[in-house]
């Protein structure tokens, strides 16, 4: 695997490659990231990964300097996965001058859910991803469903800006007890780690409640109206209360349409429009996010 730091050297190395599959990361790689590399290899050739901790997506209260940097072990893992090039620019390589041109996602997508609790986050993500795409010029790029809103926002960015990149969505990798793999899991104490799968269990309970909420179901040839037990708002509120009762501090539990992350109408729920339940909650000092599709 070649490790390349500078944009010009990357361009020289990748000249003439038009099926590159790209996986951008911030390093501190775990099995979830490695699954993205494997999915990338199924789509394009060669696979190119990046490791860059992007200051633009950190709020002043989020500690950019403390973000875990594990470059040597990241390289060893990527090498083992058969990654062809690792692009690992320094801040001055990628941002040689203040990055005053930014990519701002539309507020109805970028300022909700994660965007409400992490203002500016998606602007930072979109700006770096567009810049990385410009450096790497991939044909495919892989993003995990674990960061569902990020995936939707990047997809919409590529569509609106007509970028010649196909975005591939990777399923979330979970530990045996259901906890979604995340770099943040390492901050959990032993007791918190035991409690952490409860977020996924809560999401699954919400999923069940949403399925039960559907107002009509086909029985034989006749459509029968079933009793609606709870509205979506009640289901979300109850999930928040359950998390609080178990010692969590939730930011949101939200049932949304997969297509645009807006709240579904009852008619859409009844019509089986694809939905996703998303949640963010703090356990002790660690903020976890997760989601399940419905
Ligand atoms: O998901 C991440 O790790 C980051 O947001 C990304 C896409 C690498 C941009 O810095």
């Amino acid at each position: 695997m070649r490790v390349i730091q500078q944009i010009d050297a990357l361009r020289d190395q990748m000249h003439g490659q038009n099926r590159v599959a790209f996986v951008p990361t911030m390093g501190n790689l775990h099995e979830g990231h490695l699954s993205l590399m494997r999915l990338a290899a199924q789509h394009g050739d060669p696979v190119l990964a990046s490791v860059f901790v992007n200051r633009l997506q950190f709020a002043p209260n989020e500690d950019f300097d403390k973000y875990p940097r594990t470059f040597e072990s990241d390289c060893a893992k990527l090498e083992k996965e058969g990654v062809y090039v690792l692009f690992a620019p320094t801040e001055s390589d990628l941002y040689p001058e203040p990055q005053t041109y930014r990519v701002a996602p539309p507020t109805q997508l970028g300022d909700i859910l994660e965007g409400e609790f992490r203002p500016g986050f998606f602007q930072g993500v979109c700006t770096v991803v567009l810049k990385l795409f410009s450096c790497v010029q991939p044909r495919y790029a892989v993003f995990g469903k674990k960061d569902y809103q990020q995936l939707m926002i990047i997809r919409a960015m590529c569509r609106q800006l007509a970028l010649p990149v196909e975005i591939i969505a990777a399923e979330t990798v979970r530990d045996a007890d259901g906890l979604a793999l995340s770099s943040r899991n390492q901050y959990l104490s032993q007791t918190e780690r035991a409690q952490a799968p409860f977020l996924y269990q809560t999401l699954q309970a919400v999923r069940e409640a949403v399925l039960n909420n559907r107002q009509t179901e086909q029985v034989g040839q006749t459509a029968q109206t079933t009793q609606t037990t709870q509205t979506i708002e009640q289901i979300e509120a109850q999930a928040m209360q359950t998390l609080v009762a178990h010692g969590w501090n939730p930011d949101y539990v939200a049932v949304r349409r997969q297509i645009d992350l807006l709240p579904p109408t009852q008619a859409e729920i009844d019509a089986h429009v694809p939905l996703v339940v998303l949640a963010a909650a703090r356990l002790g000092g660690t903020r976890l996010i997760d989601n399940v599709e419905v």
Side-chain angles (χ1 to χ4, degrees):
M1 182 179 75
R2 279 205 62 181
V3 180
I4 298 181
Q5 198 183 307
Q6 278 149 2
I7 296 173
D8 287 348
L10 180 73
R11 292 207 165 119
D12 287 348
Q13 176 74 28
M14 300 311 286
H15 185 74
Q17 300 271 15
N18 56 14
R19 290 192 56 239
V20 174
F22 176 43
V23 186
T25 80
M26 297 211 297
N28 198 226
L29 304 180
H30 50 66
E31 193 52 35
H33 294 108
L34 303 184
S35 77
L36 306 185
M37 307 297 157
R38 288 168 210 146
L39 188 59
Q42 288 173 28
H43 288 268
D45 181 35
V47 174
L48 190 153
S50 66
V51 168
F52 180 71
V53 185
N54 175 37
R55 191 186 288 274
L56 300 186
Q57 68 193 72
F58 285 78
N61 64 326
E62 297 172 338
D63 208 337
F64 168 80
D65 294 320
K66 287 211 179 114
Y67 192 86
R69 286 150 173 95
T70 51
F71 192 66
E72 296 305 316
S73 73
D74 291 346
C75 284
K77 288 175 185 166
L78 294 174
E79 179 105 54
K80 219 166 142 205
E81 291 300 326
V83 168
Y84 175 67
V85 163
L86 168 60
F87 180 43
T90 61
E91 278 203 282
S92 57
D93 290 315
L94 203 64
Y95 299 134
E97 55 185 88
Q99 186 65 39
T100 47
Y101 280 74
R102 301 286 179 105
V103 184
T107 52
Q108 71 269 23
L109 192 54
D111 289 1
I112 59 169
L113 304 168
E114 282 303 279
E116 183 184 338
F117 292 91
R118 303 181 70 187
F121 172 69
F122 288 118
Q123 188 189 106
V125 169
C126 285
T127 303
V128 80
V129 169
L130 184 63
K131 190 151 189 179
L132 289 168
F133 282 180
S134 162
C135 299
V136 173
Q137 309 215 349
R139 174 73 191 82
Y140 306 95
V142 181
F143 291 84
K145 283 192 188 176
K146 159 83 170 34
D147 297 299
Y148 207 88
Q149 191 176 3
Q150 170 173 280
L151 167 68
M152 302 304 294
I153 286 178
I154 303 283
R155 268 217 172 115
M157 176 179 83
C158 291
R159 204 174 51 235
Q160 283 222 346
L161 299 178
L163 302 181
V165 187
E166 188 180 323
I167 302 300
I168 315 281
E171 294 301 326
T172 301
V173 180
R174 300 182 182 279
D175 271 335
D177 59 8
L179 177 65
L181 297 195
S182 162
S183 303
R184 293 186 176 186
N185 296 353
Q186 64 195 299
Y187 301 128
L188 298 168
S189 69
Q190 226 179 342
T191 323
E192 288 164 353
R193 175 62 191 80
Q195 170 67 15
F198 190 68
L199 185 61
Y200 181 50
Q201 289 159 18
T202 305
L203 286 169
Q204 286 177 310
V206 172
R207 183 177 185 281
E208 284 307 305
V210 171
L211 293 175
N212 290 334
N213 157 290
R214 284 186 179 143
Q215 286 191 348
T216 56
E217 61 185 34
Q218 298 294 326
V219 178
Q221 297 299 319
T222 46
Q224 296 197 343
T225 300
T226 57
Q227 184 126 37
T228 302
T229 44
Q230 284 176 303
T231 65
I232 291 297
E233 291 75 22
Q234 286 167 336
I235 294 170
E236 292 170 343
Q238 193 184 51
M240 297 273 284
Q241 281 162 19
T242 309
L243 283 166
V244 171
H246 284 77
W248 294 70
N249 185 5
D251 283 343
Y252 60 85
V253 176
V255 179
R256 297 298 168 99
R257 309 195 301 207
Q258 285 182 22
I259 183 97
D260 54 11
L261 300 184
L262 291 177
T265 62
Q266 186 63 48
E268 287 169 334
I269 296 167
D270 297 343
H272 297 209
V273 160
L275 303 175
V276 55
V277 191
L278 308 107
R282 221 171 276 278
L283 187 56
T286 309
R287 186 173 182 276
L288 300 178
I289 62 169
D290 201 353
N291 63 81
V292 296
E293 291 177 323
V294 184

